[in-house]
Amino acid sequence: MKVFRNNETLKGIASLKINVEFACPDGHPQYMHVIFPQDIALGVRHPLIVFLQGSGWTRPNKDYEVAQLSQFARAGYVVATIEHRHAKEAPGKLAFLEDTKSAIRYLRAHADEYGIDPTRVCMWGTSSGGNTALLVGMTADTDKYDVGENLDQSSKVQLVVDTFGPADLHARVLERFNDRETYDPESTFSYLAGGFPGDNLELFREMSPMFYVEEGRDFPPMLIMNGTKDAAVSYEGSLAFYEAMEKAGYDVEFIRVEDGPHEGTFWSSELFDEILDYIQRKL
């Protein structure tokens, strides 16, 4: 017979609350799942991780990484996996960034409900979600993208984790969209631009974290990751952003995943452990 003591502190035990509506911009309801340590019932507060799955700026699948994110909740973090409007629902503007900031403000407004420490917030995203995470971290000094509810709350974050997020959309559009006659009006880039992408280069500059890099800004620490065989977001582009941030004097770290593609075998238990270690060190 084995004997265990009861877990009076509820350490390592988490709960899941699904499909929490956090905003409804232009009549488009947005939802999140929240995974949180059960010890919040004892009055314990925890840092917050806001996670955004990549979608090419379409409709993020907030279910995609729930199994992996649960380990972060069991380690003592409140984790919210969120969604945002599809680019075609808000052409010509950064609705994905507005909605992400809405989610952060909502969670701060409901800090008591979920046991959140609102002074310790990490924004983590993959692919287009990684791009969004970088933008969240680099636009804290403007309220341009803070629209909707809970405007008494801050959308500023204290840490950013970017997993293969594109850092220079301006260059990508210049490269891919140079023929008005053959472009696809149903592409996500066309939805984002509200028409021919080449006619709205300023929008893609606005979406490009690389153009925000300058000395003396109030940027949070950032972890940048990419795989050397990523066919969707180049390893070299992520490395160039990291090097630019490092040169400008910011607290940045970089993880290279050898032969890592975009999603799939990019991930490993060791990599998730490394991300958790980084968040524990920095947040």
Side-chain angles (χ1 to χ4, degrees):
M1 179 175 65
K2 293 183 178 180
V3 177
F4 291 85
R5 291 190 62 86
N6 72 312
N7 187 7
E8 292 181 350
T9 64
L10 294 171
K11 182 179 180 180
I13 309 299
S15 294
L16 170 66
K17 188 172 182 179
I18 66 170
N19 294 326
V20 176
E21 183 175 335
F22 66 86
C24 191
D26 303 324
H28 300 288
Q30 306 301 313
Y31 299 95
M32 64 171 70
H33 299 330
V34 186
I35 318 168
F36 51 93
Q38 288 188 10
D39 64 7
I40 67 170
L42 305 177
V44 181
R45 295 273 185 159
H46 296 282
L48 169 66
I49 300 171
V50 181
F51 179 80
L52 180 59
Q53 175 63 35
S55 65
W57 301 278
T58 60
R59 191 71 168 176
N61 179 0
K62 61 187 180 298
D63 301 331
Y64 191 78
E65 291 287 6
V66 165
Q68 281 65 244
L69 294 172
S70 295
Q71 67 183 287
F72 290 79
R74 294 182 64 242
Y77 294 85
V78 179
V79 185
T81 171
I82 70 172
E83 59 187 18
H84 58 65
R85 279 169 287 175
H86 192 296
K88 67 181 179 182
E89 295 173 333
K93 66 177 183 177
L94 275 58
F96 61 91
L97 182 56
E98 293 177 357
D99 295 348
T100 299
K101 292 198 172 207
S102 289
I104 295 168
R105 295 195 311 272
Y106 174 92
L107 287 159
R108 278 200 166 103
H110 291 79
D112 291 343
E113 179 180 352
Y114 294 110
I116 294 168
D117 176 355
T119 67
R120 293 187 289 168
V121 180
C122 170
M123 182 69 215
W124 175 13
T126 63
S127 195
S128 60
N131 167 263
T132 306
L134 292 172
L135 292 174
V136 166
M138 302 177 88
T139 60
D141 57 357
T142 177
D143 60 3
K144 177 179 179 179
Y145 307 104
D146 281 298
V147 297
E149 300 177 345
N150 301 303
L151 293 176
D152 59 324
Q153 302 293 326
S154 172
S155 61
K156 184 176 182 178
V157 299
Q158 287 67 52
L159 194 66
V160 167
V161 177
D162 159 40
T163 310
F164 43 74
D168 192 345
L169 278 303
H170 183 267
R172 182 179 293 193
V173 169
L174 283 175
E175 178 183 350
R176 290 180 54 185
F177 295 93
N178 50 26
D179 188 346
R180 185 185 301 274
E181 301 302 318
T182 60
Y183 90 100
D184 180 5
E186 300 300 318
S187 74
T188 306
F189 282 91
S190 300
Y191 290 140
L192 286 165
F196 178 59
D199 287 342
N200 201 349
L201 289 175
E202 187 56 37
L203 177 82
F204 295 104
R205 183 184 178 96
E206 190 179 351
M207 288 176 61
S208 299
M210 185 65 84
F211 285 93
Y212 293 80
V213 180
E214 58 180 311
E215 295 181 8
R217 300 282 297 278
D218 184 20
F219 295 154
M222 297 182 181
L223 174 63
I224 316 298
M225 292 172 279
N226 208 341
T228 59
K229 290 189 176 179
D230 191 321
V233 177
S234 75
Y235 170 83
E236 290 75 18
S238 294
L239 183 61
F241 174 75
Y242 160 74
E243 290 175 340
M245 287 287 286
E246 186 178 49
K247 183 178 180 180
Y250 293 104
D251 183 353
V252 288
E253 297 183 23
F254 190 86
I255 293 177
R256 166 190 176 116
V257 177
E258 199 67 37
D259 296 328
H262 200 74
E263 294 285 10
T265 58
F266 173 89
W267 296 106
S268 64
S269 295
E270 292 78 11
L271 184 57
F272 279 112
D273 289 344
E274 188 70 21
I275 295 169
L276 176 58
D277 176 72
Y278 176 79
I279 294 174
Q280 288 173 331
R281 285 191 288 112
K282 295 293 185 177
L283 197 62

